[in-house]
Amino acid sequence: MLIKNAVEYLEGTAALCPDKIAFADESGEMSFAALRRSALELAASVASVTDRVNAPVAVLTERSAASVAAFMGALYAGCFYVPVDADMPKERMRGILERLAPAAVIAPAAMRETADAFRLCPVVGMGDRAPEPDEAMLLKRRSRILDEDPAYVIFTSGSTGEPKGIVVSHRSLIDFVEWFTEEMSLTADDVLGSQAPFFFDLSVKDIYTVLKCGATARIIPKKAFMFPTLLTGFLNEKGVTALIWATSAFHLTANSGVLEKDPPVTVKKVILGGEALRAKQLNIWRRALPDVHYVNLYGPTEVTVDCTYYPIEREFSDNEPVPIGRACPNKEVFLLNEALEPVGPGETGELCVRGSGVAKGYFGDPERTAAAFIPDPRSGAWPERIYRTGDLAVMDEDGVFIFVSRRDGQVKHMGYRVELGEIETAVGAVPGVGEAVCLYDGERDRIVCAYTGGPEGGELARALRAALPRYMIPNIYHRLDRMPRTANGKADRKRLEQELLHGTDRAL
Amino acid sequence: MKEKLIRILTEVCPGVDFAAETALIDDGILESLDIVAIVTELREAFDADIGVDDLLPENFNSADAMLALIERRQG
């Protein structure tokens, strides 16, 4: 089935199996018919407050089936959805909404007041009484949307202190979903144990596997993810067959010791992404569940979820790097050196991507878009653009890629993509702080903050809670009398790394 | 020992007042992956044999509850 708008997945599946469970969360189960109905009602509410189409609709997003209904509601109304973590600090939320200038905000009932208080745009409450959906009118709005128009915008950390909104088109999304569900052999019989928050692009795989294939997603309750025996109990009780998880969650489950005792025995497929997969934890899973099909995927949000994949088909020793694999069929992946020339097998280069998945750019930010999305330097043929990931990798003779490191200050922490520069900006904005440098201790998964002036570490961490999401708050604080400098007067990051990460005077 | 515990907890979950909070789980202060990360640290720092069966909400609601768990499991 060739479709042009991602909402047609829901249209098709709701017609085929209306009574099957699409999403289930702590508040209950939602069938495909109920999901469609709820989405149409929200679309009608959006249409009643704005005439804009092909415009952003922000969704204050929770771990709930209702959040997916709101995404689909935005699409039904001829708009695109922008998931915004409902738990993020209010000022950060306001900043994102101000830049986005959405046509409407869809908010859970409990967040309605918060959204109203911003006074930025009309607010649709999820519990509001909706007008009866006029499907012909909604279809008319939607018929103006081309497949090159945006389906969603997902915000990630930005190095200059402002989150970046990555704009992904229906075409990119549909191409990805078609490949992913086929390659991973996902079907209506699959039950997903949904881990990824819906404001994180990893969740695109859960959402659209359900909508396209008619699978069921059981959203893992927050508490089950805190206590591993509750987690595996949940997966076993619900008969979960597939886990499409952040690698960090996979690692932590392995480390908890639960797999040796009470493994999730109904699971048949484990599909990972988000950060480098460690062989040691993979081996713990494979010893507990040897017949499961494990796949490692890689890709930044800017290339539409993933661009390489690696089915695990051989043994790895505990310290061996696990490859990120080969390019997905509808994407070209290649390595360039600093002069933007192709490098050969075995040489390190920056991983670049071309093809249908390359995002449209950063929302309202032509400057950063032009820096990351460039004409293909191998041909110079505009408008064919490539995306420079900033990740360094090597490729072997068989076209299999292995991740090496980042080129810049971006790190993966707790499964999230974090720009250290954004944290430094936030620390620098706390009253009394002179200057801040943030480092990442990859061995211990810690963000380390060195700063001058200002309050002591605990106080600083509490102040940062009002400005940054939890996963971006530094773990370790060093208050310095003065910042070490390089010869040209910049903060000396190398020296700080030596002293604070590799030295003997660690905080503990 | 409590001081060391609080220092470790604060490092894993910065910005939480572990000395004062008594409903870390029930009030949703700790997040999904925090417990496993905390336990990994406690096992190492206190040489405590905390097993997967000890991972229950009541053992993690406060620093004192965690301290009691560590004391029970120290070899």
Side-chain angles (χ1 to χ4, degrees):
Chain A
M1 178 178 63
L2 191 65
I3 65 170
K4 279 172 57 184
N5 188 308
V7 82
E8 291 169 50
Y9 284 128
L10 174 57
E11 278 296 275
T13 308
L16 275 176
C17 48
D19 300 324
K20 196 165 182 287
I21 304 303
F23 291 89
D25 59 27
E26 284 179 281
S27 70
E29 297 176 330
M30 195 184 267
S31 68
F32 283 95
L35 178 64
R36 179 176 183 273
R37 175 76 200 171
S38 173
L40 283 170
E41 286 178 356
L42 288 166
S45 297
V46 168
S48 73
V49 297
T50 179
D51 290 332
R52 291 170 66 189
V53 293
N54 201 15
V57 169
V59 178
L60 305 188
T61 302
E62 299 179 320
R63 293 183 71 70
S64 68
S67 290
V68 180
F71 297 167
M72 293 302 118
L75 297 184
Y76 271 125
C79 291
F80 50 94
Y81 61 91
V82 188
V84 176
D85 177 11
D87 279 339
M88 78 165 56
K90 299 293 168 285
E91 280 315 298
R92 187 180 173 86
M93 191 183 281
R94 171 191 285 280
I96 287 177
L97 294 177
E98 275 174 354
R99 280 175 50 212
L100 196 62
V105 174
I106 302 179
M111 294 285 296
R112 208 194 145 127
E113 251 177 64
T114 307
D116 278 331
F118 289 141
R119 295 182 187 284
L120 292 169
C121 65
V123 176
V124 170
M126 287 183 188
D128 291 2
R129 203 189 158 87
E132 183 57 29
D134 175 349
E135 289 196 41
M137 175 272 290
L138 291 174
L139 187 60
K140 203 171 157 197
R141 287 174 66 108
R142 206 155 72 238
S143 65
R144 289 156 63 185
I145 302 304
L146 307 175
D147 62 355
E148 287 307 316
D149 287 327
Y152 62 77
V153 174
I154 283 185
F155 276 87
T156 71
S157 177
S159 57
T160 56
E162 274 195 347
K164 293 186 284 200
I166 298 152
V167 186
V168 173
S169 71
H170 287 276
R171 182 78 275 135
S172 297
L173 172 60
I174 290 163
D175 280 352
F176 174 77
V177 171
E178 294 292 320
W179 167 77
F180 174 77
T181 50
E182 175 82 25
E183 178 66 36
M184 303 297 150
S185 308
L186 293 158
T187 71
D189 294 331
D190 275 305
V191 179
L192 312 181
S194 176
Q195 173 266 330
F198 290 140
F199 52 86
F200 187 19
D201 92 323
L202 189 66
S203 71
V204 165
K205 290 181 271 197
D206 279 336
I207 293 172
Y208 288 92
T209 296
V210 170
L211 298 180
K212 171 171 188 265
C213 304
T216 296
R218 301 276 171 184
I219 298 171
I220 300 171
K222 199 172 160 187
K223 212 163 177 171
F225 236 106
M226 302 179 79
F227 300 102
T229 49
L230 296 185
L231 172 64
T232 52
F234 176 87
L235 300 177
N236 282 325
E237 184 199 320
K238 304 295 184 194
V240 167
T241 62
L243 306 176
I244 306 172
W245 278 11
T247 310
S248 53
F250 178 81
H251 288 160
L252 283 169
T253 307
N255 293 343
S256 75
V258 75
L259 296 172
E260 291 86 342
K261 203 179 144 54
D262 183 20
V265 291
T266 53
V267 171
K268 302 288 173 255
K269 296 161 201 157
V270 175
I271 298 160
L272 301 168
E275 67 209 284
L277 173 60
R278 295 183 194 141
K280 187 178 169 192
Q281 279 77 16
L282 172 64
N283 289 338
I284 295 173
W285 274 85
R286 292 180 88 190
R287 279 193 294 275
L289 295 167
D291 298 327
V292 165
H293 182 51
Y294 297 90
V295 188
N296 188 29
L297 290 105
Y298 157 87
T301 306
E302 284 90 338
V303 303
T304 312
V305 193
D306 293 308
C307 59
T308 69
Y309 70 112
Y310 185 78
I312 311 280
E313 282 160 356
R314 67 168 178 89
E315 298 300 316
F316 284 86
S317 62
D318 276 1
N319 294 319
E320 203 178 340
V322 181
I324 53 175
R326 289 192 171 79
C328 303
N330 51 3
K331 287 165 185 164
E332 186 193 0
V333 176
F334 53 97
L335 303 177
L336 297 180
N337 64 16
E338 281 182 18
L340 298 179
E341 295 155 348
V343 306
E347 288 176 62
T348 301
E350 181 178 1
L351 198 143
C352 297
V353 184
R354 192 179 74 103
S356 82
V358 173
K360 295 172 75 74
Y362 299 118
F363 188 87
D365 194 342
E367 208 170 292
R368 284 198 285 190
T369 300
F373 298 86
I374 61 168
D376 191 338
R378 300 167 307 172
S379 66
W382 188 261
E384 183 70 271
R385 297 171 314 144
I386 66 164
Y387 172 66
R388 300 177 64 179
T389 63
D391 286 332
L392 299 177
V394 289
M395 186 184 78
D396 70 15
E397 298 285 348
D398 299 325
V400 173
F401 292 91
I402 295 173
F403 175 82
V404 175
S405 64
R406 278 296 296 178
R407 199 188 57 179
D408 55 19
Q410 187 190 101
V411 299
K412 279 292 173 77
H413 181 55
M414 307 291 289
Y416 294 97
R417 172 171 147 180
V418 171
E419 297 281 358
L420 294 174
E422 186 176 1
I423 306 176
E424 288 165 0
T425 306
V427 176
V430 173
V433 172
E435 187 179 2
V437 170
C438 289
L439 309 169
Y440 193 66
D441 182 347
E443 261 175 52
R444 302 179 68 228
D445 296 324
R446 297 282 192 271
I447 299 168
V448 177
C449 175
Y451 65 103
T452 57
E456 53 90 23
E459 222 177 296
L460 186 51
R462 279 189 286 280
L464 289 172
R465 277 174 80 92
L468 293 173
R470 255 281 301 278
Y471 60 86
M472 287 178 70
I473 299 174
N475 304 91
I476 298 174
Y477 297 83
H478 293 278
R479 186 155 58 176
L480 310 175
D481 291 336
R482 59 190 182 82
M483 191 59 76
R485 302 273 167 207
T486 60
N488 59 14
K490 284 187 176 171
D492 191 343
R493 305 184 78 94
K494 284 225 168 80
R495 195 167 141 203
L496 286 169
E497 269 177 23
Q498 273 165 8
E499 286 178 12
L500 302 178
L501 303 188
H502 312 302
T504 48
D505 60 342
R506 281 171 107 133
L508 274 179
Chain B
M1 189 152 129
K2 188 168 176 182
E3 205 176 297
K4 181 178 172 188
L5 172 67
I6 288 185
R7 196 175 59 207
I8 292 170
L9 293 174
T10 309
E11 211 182 273
V12 178
C13 312
V16 176
D17 187 356
F18 283 98
E21 297 288 351
T22 57
L24 292 165
I25 307 298
D26 298 342
D27 289 355
I29 295 165
L30 292 185
E31 292 189 350
S32 55
L33 300 175
D34 291 341
I35 297 294
V36 180
I38 287 173
V39 167
T40 309
E41 292 293 324
L42 298 188
R43 278 184 189 141
E44 201 178 306
F46 294 98
D47 193 23
D49 187 20
I50 300 171
V52 73
D53 292 332
D54 292 320
L55 304 189
L56 297 169
E58 55 268 30
N59 286 334
F60 292 88
N61 255 328
S62 65
D64 285 330
M66 287 186 240
L67 204 57
L69 172 66
I70 292 167
E71 283 168 352
R72 288 201 300 278
R73 296 291 175 251
Q74 267 176 336

